[in-house]
Amino acid sequence: MRYQIAIMLALCSLVVSASAGDYVLHIFGNANLDDDIDEQDLAYLQGIIDDKERQNWLSDADNNGKIDRSDITQVERIINGTQTEITIVDSDNKTVTIKQPLERLVIYTHQCAEILQLLGVQDRVVGVRDTFAQQPNRFPKMSQDLNIGSGGEPDVEAVLNSNPDAILAYTFYPTEMALDEKLPADVKVLRFDCECSGLGPDAMREKVKLLGILLGARAKANEYLEWHDRCLSQVEERINGIALDDRVKVYLESTPEGDKPLVSRTAIGTGHAAHKLVEMAGGENIAAGFLPSYEDTPMEYGEIETEWVLSQNPEVIVGRAMGKGIRPYENENDSLLQEYVEEMKSLPGFDNVSAVRTDRIYIITNDYAVTPNYPSALMLLAKWFYPDQFADLDPQAAHQEYVNMMGLDYDVREKGAFFYPPL
């Protein structure tokens, strides 16, 4: 379960704001602590040297303990894309210096793998976790790459045989004990966005921009960011116009994990990516604040009795489908998602629930909605929650744009099973 959670956390704590530029790019040399490295950082560094500006934690561009002309030179190289190494702070709050260019990557994260495809650098991947082989539609090239074991049991020998420049992993998946401690010091592990606390749309913006710089693909990164912000802006303004008292009451759950699904469901609360998607789409998650924290994370996730759900009488039910057999880019039909809906309809007493009576049970798949593609899933949820206000939105067109940016020859209207019911 812990490793499944890691897959879905990159979008946790999304906030209802589509405004860009409010984040800090975690690269040494971002001297003015904004969202990019550019000429303003050169001016700020000169100000530090001239005792006109104050040094901060990212101003030491070459990470040698002092601010001087060499830092200006390093920032100039980053701007021009000619740096020979670069120092970043990853999502595990660790400072890592990486050689440039990065030519050989091992990857454990599906979300980062999609970003690599968005950046057009998937050919640099030389090793992937075992689950990639099961997803040739989603990862045409990477599904053929060397299997370096599972996230729970990485094949360190295979990793080393692939001779990587860097490894992209989740913050706690694989664990440092299973991977990092068995690697030589020159093999760098970069861990991205697997803790919920404080993340949001800006976390995705920052991660894409950071990887765009590390991989020499700024233009491709900006193409994604333009799409990302355009999709969010189509939802944000209209949702802000809906009074809090008028927002739909949503029961949000995940594929049940307990052994008594008729009486106990796996509900999702605050700090979880799916919760924040519901929130951004204008839904009020009725389970938020009523669930325990999951292990040592700030995420609410766990069992809740069906009797409690009945007592709340939600207007909408959203199920987040993941687990065995749920591969939205690979599934030929939506039968598994239909089964999920029928299961909820048949729960004892649920025939009296508003969401069941009005046929407002909706299913999203994890590998569709909890990825860098989440803006198109946000549009879908908004359209489901408020069909009149969002009648003009076309979530599938937005998803197709995303798929096209990844370079996939794939028609999302004709293939796959991303959500249910169909539009």
Side-chain angles (χ1 to χ4, degrees):
M1 170 62 195
R2 184 174 180 84
Y3 299 138
Q4 286 183 325
I5 292 295
I7 297 173
M8 68 193 177
L9 293 184
L11 304 177
C12 294
S13 297
L14 298 173
V15 294
V16 189
S17 174
S19 61
D22 295 330
Y23 60 92
V24 174
L25 181 67
H26 290 77
I27 294 180
F28 277 48
N30 182 16
N32 65 345
L33 300 180
D34 66 0
D35 64 340
D36 205 351
I37 290 188
D38 51 27
E39 287 76 10
Q40 294 180 42
D41 296 294
L42 296 175
Y44 195 96
L45 284 169
Q46 189 61 55
I48 294 174
I49 294 171
D50 295 339
D51 291 326
K52 296 179 180 179
E53 300 287 0
R54 180 175 297 179
Q55 182 176 346
N56 60 65
W57 62 294
L58 289 179
S59 52
D60 187 6
D62 58 7
N63 195 29
N64 69 352
K66 58 183 179 180
I67 305 298
D68 54 22
R69 179 65 199 179
S70 66
D71 296 292
I72 291 178
T73 299
Q74 170 67 356
V75 169
E76 289 174 339
R77 288 172 177 165
I78 294 173
I79 293 172
N80 297 328
T82 58
Q83 69 274 10
T84 57
E85 65 178 29
I86 194 166
T87 301
I88 71 164
V89 179
D90 69 7
S91 300
D92 213 18
N93 202 31
K94 291 185 176 178
T95 299
V96 187
T97 298
I98 314 130
K99 75 172 187 176
Q100 297 276 274
L102 288 176
E103 300 290 355
R104 300 179 64 81
L105 300 171
V106 161
I107 187 163
Y108 283 96
T109 88
H110 292 149
Q111 293 165 337
C112 281
E114 289 197 2
I115 292 176
L116 296 186
Q117 291 186 151
L118 290 166
L119 298 178
V121 297
Q122 59 267 32
D123 288 345
R124 301 189 199 180
V125 177
V126 294
V128 295
R129 60 186 282 204
D130 54 355
T131 50
F132 279 74
Q134 305 162 19
Q135 304 180 74
N137 291 338
R138 186 182 181 191
F139 302 116
K141 186 269 176 186
M142 284 183 269
S143 62
Q144 305 298 315
D145 286 330
L146 176 69
N147 181 342
I148 43 82
S150 69
E153 298 181 356
D155 185 340
V156 176
E157 182 178 357
V159 170
L160 294 175
N161 287 340
S162 69
N163 192 28
D165 297 326
I167 299 169
L168 303 185
Y170 295 103
T171 55
F172 53 74
Y173 177 69
T175 65
E176 292 188 23
M177 183 179 297
L179 181 63
D180 307 43
E181 295 176 7
K182 299 179 181 180
L183 297 172
D186 62 334
V187 178
K188 305 296 185 178
V189 180
L190 309 179
R191 296 181 177 272
F192 288 113
D193 292 350
C194 292
E195 299 295 338
C196 285
S197 181
L199 301 184
D202 280 344
M204 182 56 66
R205 293 183 181 106
E206 196 261 348
K207 182 167 66 173
V208 171
K209 180 165 283 190
L210 188 152
L211 286 170
I213 292 173
L214 287 181
L215 295 163
R218 286 182 186 244
K220 287 285 190 178
N222 289 336
E223 181 183 353
Y224 167 82
L225 293 172
E226 186 280 329
W227 172 85
H228 174 281
D229 292 350
R230 174 164 44 86
C231 291
L232 264 61
S233 68
Q234 293 181 66
V235 175
E236 180 187 44
E237 183 175 351
R238 282 182 255 186
I239 292 300
N240 288 341
I242 300 173
L244 294 178
D245 290 343
D246 295 333
R247 299 192 179 188
V248 295
K249 306 299 187 292
V250 180
Y251 166 61
L252 173 64
E253 70 163 43
S254 183
T255 300
E257 297 173 9
D259 57 2
K260 297 180 180 179
L262 292 181
V263 296
S264 180
R265 308 296 289 182
T266 302
I268 297 172
T270 59
H272 189 292
H275 162 80
K276 284 305 181 179
L277 278 174
V278 166
E279 185 177 66
M280 291 174 72
E284 180 184 333
N285 182 2
I286 63 171
F290 291 91
L291 296 169
S293 296
Y294 178 75
E295 294 190 5
D296 58 351
T297 76
M299 178 182 66
E300 294 180 348
Y301 186 93
E303 296 306 299
I304 199 165
E305 293 182 356
T306 54
E307 288 291 335
W308 184 87
V309 179
L310 286 171
S311 72
Q312 300 301 305
N313 192 28
E315 300 169 80
V316 171
I317 295 174
V318 175
R320 191 278 313 251
M322 67 178 296
K324 186 177 180 180
I326 305 294
R327 298 290 186 193
Y329 286 90
E330 315 303 327
N331 294 149
E332 294 183 0
N333 58 62
D334 57 13
S335 60
L336 292 175
L337 308 185
Q338 291 185 57
E339 289 175 12
Y340 193 168
V341 169
E342 294 306 314
E343 174 193 338
M344 282 195 282
K345 285 182 176 180
S346 66
L347 291 172
F350 269 52
D351 54 338
N352 292 318
V353 172
S354 175
V356 177
R357 294 199 315 269
T358 58
D359 203 24
R360 299 193 73 186
I361 301 177
Y362 306 114
I363 307 299
I364 55 174
T365 53
N366 190 75
D367 290 347
Y368 157 74
V370 187
T371 72
N373 176 56
Y374 83 88
S376 80
L378 172 64
M379 294 170 69
L380 175 70
L381 289 173
K383 192 178 183 76
W384 277 340
F385 294 172
Y386 305 102
D388 293 336
Q389 291 93 324
F390 292 97
D392 60 312
L393 286 194
D394 190 343
Q396 288 175 296
H399 187 196
Q400 189 65 55
E401 282 188 75
Y402 177 82
V403 165
N404 293 345
M405 282 190 288
M406 284 201 292
L408 303 184
D409 181 14
Y410 192 97
D411 187 336
V412 301
R413 297 184 193 272
E414 301 296 329
K415 298 180 181 179
F418 301 97
F419 54 82
Y420 186 85
L423 292 175

